[in-house]
Amino acid sequence: MTDVVDSDELMRRMQRARACAAQEERTWRARHDELRSSDPEAAREAAVRTVAYETVLRVLDEVLTPGRHAGDG
């Protein structure tokens, strides 16, 4: 990670990170829904991870499109 990157490459990396976080958020949300009735402890863990990825998404959205999401949440 010592390579110098230009702004376009940095933007691409942040967009990939956002896509990855969105996929993880969907995965953990689905897992929470699956486990809600059968394993409450695992469902709580999945809910915590869902919130964590939602937070990452909010931060990356604000970095990638400043001001657009100011009214959200």
Side-chain angles (χ1 to χ4, degrees):
M1 195 67 181
T2 60
D3 295 338
V4 175
V5 296
D6 63 11
S7 60
D8 290 335
E9 177 61 19
L10 184 59
M11 183 67 77
R12 284 190 294 274
R13 290 179 185 191
M14 287 189 292
Q15 289 168 338
R16 284 193 307 265
R18 193 209 176 281
C20 179
Q23 178 59 46
E24 287 294 320
E25 187 267 339
R26 287 188 297 269
T27 299
W28 284 106
R29 184 178 305 280
R31 184 161 171 77
H32 172 261
D33 293 343
E34 290 171 13
L35 296 171
R36 189 177 310 165
S37 61
S38 63
D39 189 350
E41 185 62 32
R44 268 191 298 280
E45 173 69 21
V48 168
R49 291 177 184 258
T50 299
V51 170
Y53 280 107
E54 287 172 347
T55 303
V56 169
L57 284 170
R58 259 185 263 129
V59 169
L60 287 172
D61 281 344
E62 184 60 31
V63 169
L64 293 168
T65 54
R68 183 181 296 176
H69 310 280
D72 295 348

